[in-house]
Amino acid sequence: AEVLLKVCDLAELLRVYPDLNWNFVGRQCSKLGTKRVLLFALGVAAQLLQTPIPEQIKRQIKNDIIVRTSIKQVCSEFFQRSEQSFRDRTYVERPYLIKLARERWQDKVSYLITTIISPNQEDLAFVSLPPQLSFLYYFLRPVRLLLKYSFASKQLHNSQD
């Protein structure tokens, strides 16, 4: 319901303010690195709720394969999954969303750094720490990744011999 409410809110915003200055909105989103996210949200509202969107937005969506693919993927599964499963999917399950949110090089670098240092379920399973020491997962993650990929690399190298 929460995700659908956001789509409905956007549709209502477009209904109430049909004369938005889309050139200004587009420029602002480009500066912030959120242009694809805007196009995606508008495309989802248009497809799910038949929300009218300007022709220039339709053209931009049509010309951006990442946005088009993302809209198609989300709309095709929108009513097939529970809201919790829809929100909880990992980025591995939906790589198209990573591409939507990473337009600028700064965003890509930030995502890479966050991915490298932010603990995930594998890190929690690697070693169990009490809550008071949970900050140590940030230091253990790079170690675990180094072990994982150096071991995998060694196995690959040995299998080629």
Side-chain angles (χ1 to χ4, degrees):
E2 184 181 324
V3 176
L4 183 57
L5 282 174
K6 289 178 183 180
V7 174
C8 291
D9 286 346
L10 180 60
E12 182 63 10
L13 176 79
L14 293 173
R15 188 189 68 73
V16 172
Y17 298 102
D19 298 325
L20 281 175
N21 181 342
W22 288 106
N23 291 326
F24 176 76
V25 172
R27 282 193 309 275
Q28 292 301 107
C29 287
S30 291
K31 284 181 192 175
L32 297 170
T34 58
K35 181 109 183 234
R36 280 187 169 150
V37 173
L38 171 70
L39 294 174
F40 168 75
L42 292 170
V44 169
Q47 190 160 338
L48 290 180
L49 303 174
Q50 285 71 49
T51 304
I53 58 176
E55 285 302 316
Q56 71 188 55
I57 299 294
K58 289 178 186 176
R59 279 192 304 276
Q60 290 176 39
I61 291 170
K62 182 181 176 187
N63 293 331
D64 191 320
I65 191 161
I66 292 170
V67 173
R68 261 193 353 258
T69 304
S70 301
I71 292 167
K72 182 179 178 184
Q73 180 73 35
V74 166
C75 290
S76 71
E77 63 186 45
F78 198 84
F79 295 107
Q80 296 173 4
R81 298 180 83 149
S82 72
E83 181 174 349
Q84 190 64 38
S85 102
F86 194 80
R87 276 195 319 238
D88 289 347
R89 289 172 304 158
T90 65
Y91 280 117
V92 172
E93 287 182 78
R94 49 189 177 169
Y96 54 89
L97 293 180
I98 293 171
K99 292 177 183 174
L100 275 177
R102 310 294 178 248
E103 292 179 37
R104 303 174 302 174
W105 68 268
Q106 306 98 301
D107 300 327
K108 292 173 185 173
V109 169
S110 173
Y111 172 75
L112 181 62
I113 291 170
T114 301
T115 301
I116 290 171
I117 66 168
S118 294
N120 63 19
Q121 292 301 320
E122 288 182 55
D123 301 309
L124 301 177
F126 181 66
V127 66
S128 181
L129 295 173
Q132 305 90 320
L133 298 177
S134 62
F135 69 93
L136 291 175
Y137 284 116
Y138 288 93
F139 300 101
L140 290 171
R141 178 166 174 74
V143 172
R144 185 189 66 77
L145 290 174
L146 185 63
L147 290 172
K148 177 181 177 180
Y149 291 110
S150 66
F151 183 71
S153 174
K154 224 179 248 187
Q155 281 187 323
L156 179 63
H157 181 37
N158 289 341
S159 70
Q160 291 176 348
D161 290 340

